[in-house]
Amino acid sequence: MALDEQQLGDLGVSIHAGFPNAAVGSHTQSLSLDRLLIRHPATTFLMRLDNDMWSDYGMNSDDILIVDRSARPQPADIVIWVDAEAFTVSYFRDVPLDTPIWGTLTASVRQYKYRNLPS
């Protein structure tokens, strides 16, 4: 489902081609990653990927995974499930039958700077 310019504006996204005009797009709200990437805040969790097994799919070690526990997975979705007491990432269609799904991956974020700051 493609979003039109009005819907993107409602999400805080502005579309520019060429040199930006400060007067155009000033009606948009500020950019919010929460609003863009999280549909159900109460059931969404962040995790860090700890390996490069998904690098062919654009996800690398230390990427932040955004996982919605309330989203119903479809066969082509990437999901998180528990295998031998560890979280496992795989396509929903590849999860063993009768295995409970912990959550559905809705987005991933790659952080380039300040990745390992002390908390």
Side-chain angles (χ1 to χ4, degrees):
M1 173 179 113
L3 300 175
D4 63 30
E5 285 189 44
Q6 176 62 43
Q7 290 169 314
L8 287 171
D10 292 343
L11 291 172
V13 176
S14 60
I15 301 171
H16 299 281
F19 189 75
N21 181 344
V24 176
S26 61
H27 64 280
T28 61
Q29 298 174 355
S30 62
L31 183 63
S32 167
L33 290 178
D34 288 353
R35 288 191 358 201
L36 286 170
L37 301 176
I38 298 174
R39 182 167 291 176
H40 305 110
T43 59
T44 299
F45 296 83
L46 304 178
M47 314 175 112
R48 278 212 189 261
L49 192 59
D50 68 355
N51 60 58
D52 285 321
M53 292 177 59
W54 285 85
S55 61
D56 289 347
Y57 301 95
M59 294 185 297
N60 297 312
S61 184
D62 285 335
D63 283 359
I64 299 166
L65 305 181
I66 301 174
V67 182
D68 188 342
R69 296 204 63 197
S70 68
R72 291 189 177 156
Q74 301 301 312
D77 286 342
I78 298 172
V79 296
I80 310 296
W81 55 286
V82 179
D83 179 29
E85 299 183 20
F87 286 115
T88 301
V89 180
S90 63
Y91 281 103
F92 180 55
R93 65 177 174 258
D94 297 333
V95 176
L97 291 174
D98 299 323
T99 301
I101 301 300
W102 190 85
T104 302
L105 181 70
T106 58
S108 65
V109 178
R110 178 157 307 131
Q111 187 175 357
Y112 293 101
K113 197 168 183 173
Y114 310 122
R115 284 176 31 180
N116 296 316
L117 288 177
S119 10

